Structures are given as C-alpha cells and as structure tokens.
Amino acid sequence: MAPVDAEAVQALQAAGLRAKHAALGPQLRGNQFQGPLYLDSEETSRSSQGDVYAVVDHPFARVSGALTDPGNWCDILILHLNIKYCRGTPGATPRLEVRIGRKFDQPVASATLLTFAWRAQAVTPEYLDVELDAPTGPFGTKDYKILVEAVGIDGGRSFIHMGYAFGYGALGQMAMASYLRTIGRDKVGFTTVEGAGPGEPPRYVGGMRGLAERNTMRYYLAIDAYLDALAAPPAQQLERRLEAWFAATEKYPRQLHEIDRATYLAMKRREVQRQLTGSAE
C-alpha cells in the first residue's frame, strides 16, 4: 500500500501566502462562490485534500486572536453537520476529542472518535499557522489534517488559507467506495469537469475528491461564521454562528444542502448544549 503523502497539506508561510494572494487576484475577483474565494483539490491513490483561499472582512488581529486560542475550536467545529460533539483537553499540545456521526441526532457514544492534536505552529503580529492532526479516523481513514494560516492585507482584511486532508489504506478505500456507490453516489464537489453538452448544466467532480471539496468548504465556512459572529454580544454569538453557517452552505445547494434550516438549528442547539454539559446522551 502506498503511504499517504505527509506533506500534502503544507503552510505557505507569510511570504508564500502573500504571493498566493497576488497570484489569485483574477480568481478571487470572479468565480462561482459569490465572493473572494478560491477552492483547489487533489486526489492520489491513498489521500484526498482540499484547499480554500479566501479574503475575509476581519483585521488580522481579530483572526489571529480567535484562531490561535484552542478553546475556540470546538465552537468552530461543532457547526459542521457531521460533528456531533467536541471536547478540548489543555496541555503542552492541546487535544480536541471530536465525535463524527450522521446528519441527524444520535448519542455521542455511537459517533466515531477522532482525536486531533492542536498546534500553533507560528503566531506573529503578521502571520499565523494553526494545524490540527489526527492519526486515525472512521471507516479505515487516517492522517487527518486541518491547517489554517492567515496574513493581514489592505483595508483591514485578512487572507486565509485553509487546508483539509485525509488518507486511507486498502480497507478505508473499500469502505469509502461503498459509501460513494450508495449514499454518496449523487454527491458532487465544486470543480467543474468536461462532459456537459451545449445548454446543459455544468458537471462537477464526484468521488473522493468531491467529498474532500465539500468538507473543506464546510470547515472553512465554520471558521468564517465564527469570525463574523464575534461582532455580536457574547450571548448572541451562538445563534449568529448557527444562522450564518447554514445560510452560507445554502448558497451552494447542489453540493452542501442536506437538511432544512429548522432541523439544523434544533439539532445543533441540542448538540452544543450537550457539549457544554459534557453529556454523552
């Protein structure tokens, strides 16, 4: 079995990220995402990854203050449909115990545990690099990585790179192939592929690459929703985050729509409450 490329998702560092912002100028100004955002993805025989590059209307100090505090990350991750529970453990290397499950209510014990090591690889007045790594995951998947790096740009804004990747061995590949043949057979990502005829709607990438693109976008939109909600009073931030995340995903219904707004809000309110109390029910 070929090993997963451990360097698949890498930080560009401050100078590289600024160069990437300049190089992506045309794509950030005109794209399918209704805003300054660019999505790239890659699939190998044993791994899949996605990378989002986006301009956010938040000063760098606010972005860095929020994302370099490990205590905020459970509030970010729980917005994702499949994240049912998250608990942080402080220490020299903080850990996030995340439970991944289905897109409906379920007991914590029936969801799969994914334990991330959280690291602030670089935090300076001009640049941040935060990385989360988990060696094992559900259905034979492994080598999960979430990377977020950012720099400040003109106009009191920030440029963010968020990378998401996971690997799989032979058993994991068979499990994911079964999912993609059944429940996930009609699900697609964002990258267009050839094959659409004149007047036909665009065709999008599917399979493992499409799955990576969908999850990359969901995690990025969770970060964006968290940052946007910081402008609200603390007591209102949870509802602001939930509403913002759901509204953002609904901009891309072909890829990201799964449940209606009322169902999502009710489910996530219960899951957040369970997270706050530490309940496993």
Side-chain angles (χ1 to χ4, degrees):
M1 293 186 296
V4 173
D5 181 3
E7 302 301 322
V9 177
Q10 295 188 76
L12 301 178
Q13 306 300 321
L17 194 55
R18 292 188 184 280
K20 190 73 171 182
H21 175 246
L24 289 178
Q27 292 92 330
L28 294 172
R29 287 190 294 271
N31 55 66
Q32 61 175 306
F33 297 108
Q34 307 173 42
L37 187 151
Y38 175 76
L39 171 66
D40 194 13
S41 63
E42 181 180 351
E43 180 182 356
T44 72
S45 62
R46 288 291 184 264
S47 66
S48 296
Q49 75 174 77
D51 293 275
V52 164
Y53 300 90
V55 174
V56 296
D57 291 324
H58 301 287
F60 177 76
R62 181 181 302 162
V63 173
S64 182
L67 299 184
T68 57
D69 182 349
N72 295 334
W73 274 85
C74 280
D75 290 336
I76 294 171
L77 295 176
I78 195 66
L79 299 175
H80 191 302
L81 271 172
N82 294 102
I83 304 299
K84 316 312 290 181
Y85 184 83
C86 177
R87 180 178 65 183
T89 303
T93 300
R95 308 188 85 74
L96 301 178
E97 296 182 357
V98 175
R99 293 281 181 168
I100 297 179
R102 306 294 295 274
K103 299 176 178 70
F104 50 77
D105 280 324
Q106 64 183 118
V108 170
S110 68
T112 303
L113 177 63
L114 191 62
T115 301
F116 284 101
W118 184 99
R119 297 179 178 87
Q121 300 285 66
V123 182
T124 75
E126 298 180 346
Y127 173 72
L128 73 88
D129 172 13
V130 171
E131 301 182 13
L132 290 74
D133 298 277
T136 59
F139 309 115
T141 55
K142 58 183 180 177
D143 297 329
Y144 279 79
K145 184 168 187 177
I146 296 173
L147 176 151
V148 181
E149 58 179 338
V151 292
I153 58 175
D154 61 289
R157 301 173 299 163
S158 298
F159 183 59
I160 289 179
H161 166 215
M162 199 226 85
Y164 165 78
F166 62 97
Y168 30 87
L171 292 178
Q173 192 172 43
M174 286 190 291
M176 297 306 292
S178 176
Y179 164 79
L180 293 170
R181 285 195 304 268
T182 54
I183 300 173
R185 64 183 179 276
D186 296 323
K187 296 182 182 298
V188 298
F190 294 88
T191 299
T192 55
V193 295
E194 296 180 358
E200 292 182 352
R203 295 187 179 183
Y204 298 101
V205 66
M208 297 295 284
R209 188 177 168 196
L211 186 153
E213 289 191 355
R214 293 193 300 276
N215 270 331
T216 301
M217 278 293 290
R218 286 179 173 128
Y219 283 123
Y220 166 72
L221 293 175
I223 292 170
D224 194 38
Y226 184 87
L227 293 172
D228 284 347
L230 293 175
Q236 299 175 19
Q237 288 181 12
L238 171 59
E239 287 299 312
R240 184 75 63 89
R241 291 195 295 268
L242 297 176
E243 293 276 7
W245 188 90
F246 185 82
T249 61
E250 287 297 286
K251 291 180 181 178
Y252 319 111
R254 179 69 180 89
Q255 292 83 6
L256 302 184
H257 178 79
E258 297 286 350
I259 58 178
D260 62 70
R261 173 180 171 275
T263 301
Y264 172 79
L265 293 176
M267 178 179 71
K268 284 300 170 181
R269 287 170 186 146
R270 287 190 293 269
E271 291 173 355
V272 169
Q273 184 60 33
R274 181 171 63 187
Q275 187 163 287
L276 291 173
T277 60
S279 171
E281 297 300 322

